[in-house]
Amino acid sequence: MTECLFCKIANKEIPSNIVYEDEKILVFKDINPEAPVHILIIPKMHINSVQDINESNSNVISHIFAIIPKLAKDLDVDEKGFRVVSNIGEQGGQTVKHLHFHMLGGRNLSWPPG
Ligand code: AMP
Ligand code: ZN
């Protein structure tokens, strides 16, 4: 059995507040939101981070990005804008070692990030 937190969420062993789901991906609300809209988009299959994307698994990444415009519309951030970000490794601030894209919106987001 996997010890990965987001694999457990994908397998419904741990509950989450699901926003969207299909056979390849799960989208759920971040437990510690940094903005009025803060969701996490994950592939159901375990990939450690962006660093482990390759030609054989990248179809799930294009699927994620094909769903983002629909999510933005559903969450009503499509017109005002939003941000999609993935933290990678220690200096990138990645705390969960299962690839995820944060989608943040609903307020003005500063740049550059801290
Ligand atoms: P990162 O720091 O980029 O690895 O992002 C991990 C994110 O997962 C953080 O924003 C956490 O708030 C979020 N998180 C951790 N545990 C859970 C959980 N059980 N349900 C939803 N979000 C979570
Ligand atoms: Zn995992």
Side-chain angles (χ1 to χ4, degrees), residues 5-62:
L5 175 64
F6 285 180
C7 280
K8 287 182 175 167
I9 287 179
N11 294 334
K12 314 279 172 64
E13 292 166 41
I14 291 177
S16 65
N17 199 331
I18 296 172
V19 173
Y20 173 87
E21 178 176 19
D22 62 33
E23 70 283 356
K24 288 184 187 165
I25 69 173
L26 188 72
V27 182
F28 54 97
K29 291 189 179 171
D30 196 293
I31 205 166
N32 184 24
E34 300 287 356
V37 172
H38 187 178
I39 58 172
L40 300 172
I41 310 167
I42 67 167
K44 287 187 172 177
M45 68 181 290
H46 183 90
I47 300 172
N48 288 318
S49 78
V50 167
Q51 277 295 95
D52 283 331
I53 298 171
N54 54 50
E55 291 295 344
S56 63
N57 64 18
S58 61
N59 60 332
V60 74
I61 308 303
S62 58

